[in-house]
Amino acid sequence: MRSSEAADMTMTRRASLKAGFALFAATMTSSSFARKGFFAERGLPLGLQLYTLGDAPRTDLEGTLKRVAAIGYKTVELPGLRLGDAARVKAAADKAGLSIGSVHLQSQPRGEDMSLALEPSKLAAELRTLGATEVVLPVPLFPTVKPEPGEDLWQAVTRAFASAGADSWKRTAAFLNKHGEWLRREGIHLSYHNHNFEFAPVSGGVSGWDILVAETDPKLVSFEVDTGWVAAGGIDPVAFLRRHAGRVRLMHVKDILPSTKPNFRGSMDPTEVGSGTIAWKELLPVAHDAGVRHFYVEQEPPFLIDRFDAVARSYAFLTNKV
């Protein structure tokens, strides 16, 4: 073989190897080998708290669930049991390809809605029909609230809790323990959902939240952390979740704008997830490490865009950017 031919063959081999490595690198960055996002990597379905959509679930349940599924959500959390007959709600969710993972229930009946005060076997039957294994108490047992002249509702609530002191929060903890015990026997987990008034000190620097954590039985009661309300209370959600590792099962994936001033009175400037102040790339893995396995996007009003567009933006961010 002449030297020129050998040189040509060597160059050809090098070119082939170079092309092969380039193809391999391109393949590794393709959708089949690229780093998966937080939810896909852990096999977790991203859910939506239907409260976010206002009256839509009540006025057009099937259409709403169909649109939620079309966005990409896989599971939903119900804002109560007032959407209709449990079998009908479950059928609508099945038709849309959605599961019902969790339900918010008040401590006492409100209008036509059911509550945790319902006879245990009847409530358990409703939840089994829905396929839900998680129940959440979304607010504490309220003391008597009588707004004074010039007060709005949240100002009155804040004042009422401050006046009631620690005993009010201890009542809620006892309520949670009692209902958590019988729900556990039915194979259902009970959690408590925070706002930001729980973080207001009630005595000796101890907050209502501190009392709930200390006085609820970890075997019976867990927590659904609302990241937006935690941040609105002036608390770092990442540090908060680390501090409560082992007590948290669910999370409301909620964002706030930088204009939100830290407070304990139920106030925030809401926004779509990824458009606010919360560091989601850091927070989501910390939440998972702390024990959260149920993630539900939720956004408070007022909305600057259509509600469905808002939850679509949050979904796109959480599945493409983290």
Side-chain angles (χ1 to χ4, degrees):
M1 182 184 296
R2 289 179 298 179
S3 58
S4 60
E5 292 175 338
D8 288 343
M9 290 181 66
T10 300
M11 291 179 65
T12 300
R13 290 192 189 100
R14 287 175 179 170
S16 297
L17 286 170
K18 185 176 181 180
F21 281 123
L23 178 61
F24 176 75
T27 303
M28 288 297 290
T29 58
S30 71
S31 59
S32 59
F33 285 90
R35 184 192 70 81
K36 294 181 179 179
F38 171 83
F39 293 97
E41 189 175 71
R42 291 162 180 79
L44 295 172
L46 178 56
L48 177 68
Q49 164 55 262
L50 292 182
Y51 159 84
T52 308
L53 299 177
D55 290 333
R58 287 190 290 276
T59 57
D60 181 11
L61 179 63
E62 284 196 13
T64 296
L65 294 180
K66 183 179 180 181
R67 292 181 70 180
V68 168
I71 291 169
Y73 290 100
K74 302 299 182 186
T75 184
V76 294
E77 182 177 57
L78 303 184
L81 293 177
R82 61 184 178 277
L83 296 179
D85 176 74
R88 172 180 167 266
V89 175
K90 180 66 164 69
D94 287 346
K95 184 177 180 180
L98 294 167
S99 65
I100 300 170
S102 176
V103 181
H104 276 203
L105 291 177
Q106 304 288 338
S107 60
Q108 297 296 324
R110 216 178 258 187
E112 75 276 17
D113 202 4
M114 296 182 184
S115 73
L116 281 165
L118 194 67
E119 195 274 320
S121 62
K122 183 176 181 181
L123 179 56
E126 291 282 323
L127 295 169
R128 276 194 290 271
T129 299
L130 293 169
T133 58
E134 305 284 339
V135 168
V136 180
L137 179 67
V139 291
L141 276 62
F142 279 85
T144 301
V145 178
K146 293 182 178 179
E148 295 181 348
E151 278 188 329
D152 62 25
L153 177 60
W154 278 110
Q155 289 171 328
V157 167
T158 302
R159 179 177 51 79
F161 273 110
S163 300
D167 287 345
S168 177
W169 294 104
K170 291 181 178 182
R171 284 178 52 240
T172 295
F175 178 91
L176 287 163
N177 285 331
K178 173 185 174 182
H179 288 272
E181 185 172 15
W182 73 257
L183 282 169
R184 186 180 65 165
R185 291 197 296 267
E186 299 288 345
I188 299 164
H189 296 99
L190 177 64
S191 295
Y192 177 85
H193 166 276
N194 68 278
H195 288 77
N196 60 351
F197 54 80
E198 289 90 349
F199 306 125
V202 291
S203 60
V206 175
S207 69
W209 175 264
D210 295 330
I211 294 169
L212 291 177
V213 173
E215 301 219 357
T216 51
D217 185 338
K219 297 189 298 293
L220 305 176
V221 181
S222 299
F223 293 92
E224 178 175 57
V225 173
D226 188 304
T227 55
W229 285 121
V230 170
I235 300 167
D236 174 15
V238 172
F240 184 84
L241 282 159
R242 286 191 176 124
R243 187 161 65 250
H244 296 295
R247 292 301 307 271
V248 292
R249 290 179 61 85
L250 311 95
M251 192 168 91
H252 276 182
V253 184
K254 183 181 292 179
D255 217 336
I256 60 171
L257 291 169
S259 54
T260 302
K261 293 179 173 60
N263 69 93
F264 303 132
R265 63 180 185 279
S267 176
M268 70 162 62
D269 295 334
T271 189
E272 296 77 42
V273 178
S275 301
T277 63
I278 293 178
W280 294 105
K281 287 185 179 181
E282 181 183 9
L283 187 146
L284 290 173
V286 168
H288 187 267
D289 290 345
V292 176
R293 295 297 182 270
H294 306 273
F295 295 81
Y296 297 101
V297 168
E298 185 183 53
Q299 186 172 333
E300 300 289 338
F303 287 78
L304 299 181
I305 60 175
D306 177 81
R307 290 176 187 249
F308 283 95
D309 291 340
V311 299
R313 286 189 187 184
S314 292
Y315 180 87
F317 172 81
L318 290 164
T319 53
N320 294 318
K321 302 296 184 181
V322 295

